[in-house]
Amino acid sequence: MQVRRFVVRAVLLACVLAPARARAGLVERAEQLLRTIAQQRDREHRFAVADQAQSLCEQAIREHPRDPAPHIVLARILTIADPDHPEACRPHSCERAIAELKEARRLDAGGAEAQHIASELGLVLSRVGAYEDALAEYDRALKLVDPERRPSVFEDWGKSVLYGNSAETLMALGRLEPAIERYRQAEATSEQGAIEWELAEWGLGVALDRDEQIEKSRQAIQRALDIDPTMAHLADESVFFEPAGDKRFYEALGHEVAGDRELALAAWRAFLAEAKSSQYAPRARAHLAELKRTPSVASSIDPARLRISVGEIMDLRGLRSAPSLREAIAQHEDELRLCYARVLRADAKVRGELRLQLVIEPTGWLYTRARVLLSTVENDKLAHCVELAATTWRFPFSDVAEQEEIVVTLSFAGR
């Protein structure tokens, strides 16, 4: 029972997988297609693009039989997943990805790609449940990114992800003490507040809870919630859980620490329903029993019943259509309702509007943190939660290589 979280965005954007000689031509085109897949949520479209990229890599392998690069990129393409089920490869694709990476290792005589091959093998082996083998690959990769010279920023980032992924593998194997130690190493080798640091806090909190170190667990989960109060990063493109039901444990623990009693109860029940054979099911049952013993009327607000509306959208550049912007924001209304429900528990009369500024990169990610420009809500906590939640949002890709600033009005009307 484990969560597998893989932060791949920086690797995709940096294009560090293939050697320089393979940048031109087929492999470069395959990588370009691979990067466009991250912009797509439609399952069939993603798989169609992945098939095109796969064909290019297979042609490159035929034309450059001694080059490991096409095998490495092909392995990544083979692990493209349905966005609704990111934990699962397409049938037999993970197995073939493992074979491609092993072939790349055989061809990589000088070891130039050894770190990336080991990292990728760790990811794919964990997805097929080969946790001991995955752990060995992570250990191999960690040795390769820990040179005697002072590591670069990228190497620090790589170590953080590898420590986190190996910690998750150890937790899957039931080895909580070394898992906790590696989560702490992931925390120490990442920048505080970055997504790698936040995910390390989530993993650390879950591992500590499963080791029954309750107070330390709650402290780690609270640190994660301080950055991502609506737990949006647990549903990020780069994050997946293996098996999928383990995600409910994280959600339940987050809701419990945040005081969302009813949501926590629902998430613990979902975990027990989806992960019946989990070695950590007794902890979930203990949480469920404790929550039932301590009912709270104030925490019974159902976010789904709250009225949130997206009003005027001022687009200063017009690079994205108003309907596409509105649709992207509407996908996050549950997060806004969760922020509102938490504020209403303390003050049932809170209402009003927030005017939210967003500066969007061509990739669809925000350039800086979202910012509330104007508020008629007499509670600063709502604005703070909305700013943090909105900072995790992603908007449609733009072909224009310029930033776009929008201002959106959000209305909170109560129950």
Side-chain angles (χ1 to χ4, degrees), residues 114-116 118-119 136-146 162:
Q115 173 198 326
H116 299 125
S119 299
E137 294 295 342
Y138 289 136
D139 286 344
R140 184 197 294 247
L142 278 164
K143 291 176 182 177
L144 294 169
V145 296
D146 191 18
L162 288 167

Side-chain angles (χ1 to χ4, degrees), residues 87-160:
E87 74 284 352
C89 297
R90 287 192 280 178
H92 312 298
S93 291
C94 272
E95 291 77 6
R96 184 179 172 189
I98 292 169
E100 295 294 340
L101 288 166
K102 289 181 176 179
E103 177 63 10
R105 176 173 284 166
R106 186 185 71 80
L107 294 170
D108 186 34
E113 300 298 325
Q115 173 198 326
H116 299 125
I117 292 169
S119 299
E120 293 292 325
L121 269 171
L123 301 181
V124 189
L125 286 164
S126 68
R127 292 176 77 167
V128 298
Y131 301 122
E132 292 286 4
D133 291 339
L135 184 60
E137 294 295 342
Y138 289 136
D139 286 344
R140 184 197 294 247
L142 278 164
K143 291 176 182 177
L144 294 169
V145 296
D146 191 18
E148 293 182 3
R149 67 183 185 280
R150 184 178 179 180
S152 69
V153 173
F154 179 78
E155 287 167 335
D156 270 344
W157 185 92
K159 284 194 290 186
S160 175

Side-chain angles (χ1 to χ4, degrees), residues 142 145-146 151-166 181-198 200-201:
L142 278 164
V145 296
D146 191 18
S152 69
V153 173
F154 179 78
E155 287 167 335
D156 270 344
W157 185 92
K159 284 194 290 186
S160 175
V161 173
L162 288 167
Y163 278 132
N165 286 346
S166 59
E181 176 58 30
R182 291 218 181 180
Y183 279 125
R184 294 198 185 282
Q185 290 174 302
E187 178 188 49
T189 52
S190 56
E191 180 183 351
Q192 185 170 349
I195 187 172
E196 313 89 73
W197 183 88
E198 179 200 329
E201 295 298 326

Side-chain angles (χ1 to χ4, degrees), residues 258-280:
D260 310 322
R261 180 179 179 275
E262 299 304 319
L263 293 175
L265 284 168
W268 287 123
R269 290 175 181 130
F271 172 76
L272 290 170
E274 297 175 24
K276 296 182 179 67
S277 60
S278 170
Q279 61 188 306
Y280 302 114

Side-chain angles (χ1 to χ4, degrees), residues 190-342:
S190 56
E191 180 183 351
Q192 185 170 349
I195 187 172
E196 313 89 73
W197 183 88
E198 179 200 329
L199 294 178
E201 295 298 326
W202 275 113
L204 177 62
V206 169
L208 286 166
D209 179 81
R210 289 170 168 177
D211 197 45
E212 300 190 41
Q213 299 185 51
I214 309 304
E215 188 54 37
K216 290 181 179 179
S217 167
R218 293 180 69 88
Q219 291 170 0
I221 296 298
Q222 186 60 61
R223 290 193 293 270
L225 289 170
D226 286 343
I227 295 171
D228 183 16
T230 59
M231 303 181 282
H233 281 144
L234 296 183
D236 190 87
E237 175 76 19
S238 62
V239 176
F240 67 86
F241 298 79
E242 182 62 41
D246 215 36
K247 181 180 180 181
R248 305 302 183 189
F249 199 106
Y250 285 67
E251 292 174 339
L253 204 53
H255 284 306
E256 188 172 317
V257 171
D260 310 322
R261 180 179 179 275
E262 299 304 319
L263 293 175
L265 284 168
W268 287 123
R269 290 175 181 130
F271 172 76
L272 290 170
E274 297 175 24
K276 296 182 179 67
S277 60
S278 170
Q279 61 188 306
Y280 302 114
R283 280 298 302 143
R285 285 192 286 269
H287 278 281
L288 198 57
E290 181 63 25
L291 282 170
K292 288 178 179 178
R293 284 194 295 268
T294 56
S296 173
V297 175
S299 65
S300 62
I301 296 170
D302 181 1
R305 301 184 67 178
L306 299 177
R307 299 197 303 276
I308 309 295
S309 60
V310 179
E312 179 187 13
I313 298 178
M314 296 173 55
D315 185 351
L316 303 184
R317 299 297 302 277
L319 302 180
R320 295 168 176 83
S321 70
S324 69
L325 290 169
R326 188 174 296 278
E327 181 181 356
I329 295 169
Q331 292 174 359
H332 300 282
E333 286 185 8
D334 285 347
E335 299 166 34
L336 297 173
R337 290 190 186 96
L338 182 56
C339 285
Y340 194 24
R342 289 174 180 167

Side-chain angles (χ1 to χ4, degrees), residues 80 158 297 323 347 388:
I80 293 297
V297 175
D347 184 355
L388 291 173

Side-chain angles (χ1 to χ4, degrees), residues 193 227 233 356-373 386-395 402-407:
I227 295 171
H233 281 144
L356 187 68
Q357 179 194 47
L358 306 168
V359 180
I360 310 170
E361 291 279 16
T363 59
W365 298 103
L366 295 198
Y367 174 64
T368 58
R369 176 172 157 173
R371 186 164 68 98
V372 171
L373 299 177
V386 169
E387 284 180 337
L388 291 173
T391 299
T392 70
W393 296 353
R394 191 171 188 182
F395 290 85
E402 296 180 12
Q403 294 172 357
E404 178 174 26
E405 180 183 345
I406 70 169
V407 177

